[in-house]
């Protein structure tokens, strides 16, 4: 289904963008708008191949692996 294909494309590009980003995981929530705009710009050529225009990408949450969340919790508790 095209929805699944576009979702997979979005997730793959999003993960690649985050990997190249200089943002710390601590800063993700404060920059959802900036991240959404950057991902939209990066994905637009891919969506255009299907005759679609990607107008807006809304980032609601970035889930981290449990190990990363635990490490963040430990670091936060240390002060």
């Amino acid at each position: 289904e095209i929805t699944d294909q576009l979702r997979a494309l979005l997730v793959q590009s999003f993960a690649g963008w985050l990997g190249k980003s200089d943002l710390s995981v601590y800063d993700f929530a404060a920059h959802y708008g900036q991240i959404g705009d950057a991902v939209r710009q990066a994905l637009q050529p891919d969506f255009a191949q299907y005759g679609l225009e990607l107008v807006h990408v809304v980032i609601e949450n970035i889930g981290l692996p449990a190990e990363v969340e635990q490490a963040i919790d430990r670091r936060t508790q240390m002060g």
Side-chain angles (χ1 to χ4, degrees):
E1 186 171 314
I2 188 71
T3 303
D4 294 333
Q5 189 172 356
L6 293 174
R7 181 179 295 120
L9 180 66
L10 178 71
V11 169
Q12 178 183 5
S13 292
F14 179 68
W17 184 88
L18 280 180
K20 295 176 187 174
S21 168
D22 60 351
L23 283 178
S24 162
V25 295
Y26 300 105
D27 296 329
F28 284 171
H31 293 91
Y32 282 167
Q34 174 189 351
I35 295 169
D37 289 342
V39 170
R40 180 191 57 77
Q41 290 174 7
L43 285 172
Q44 184 52 48
D46 295 320
F47 274 65
Q49 292 177 16
Y50 297 99
L52 300 171
E53 179 182 4
L54 188 57
V55 177
H56 195 70
V57 173
V58 176
I59 307 294
E60 293 179 351
N61 184 27
I62 298 175
L64 300 171
E67 302 83 28
V68 174
E69 288 185 7
Q70 291 170 357
I72 290 171
D73 289 344
R74 283 193 301 272
R75 183 174 175 185
T76 301
Q77 291 172 356
M78 292 176 154

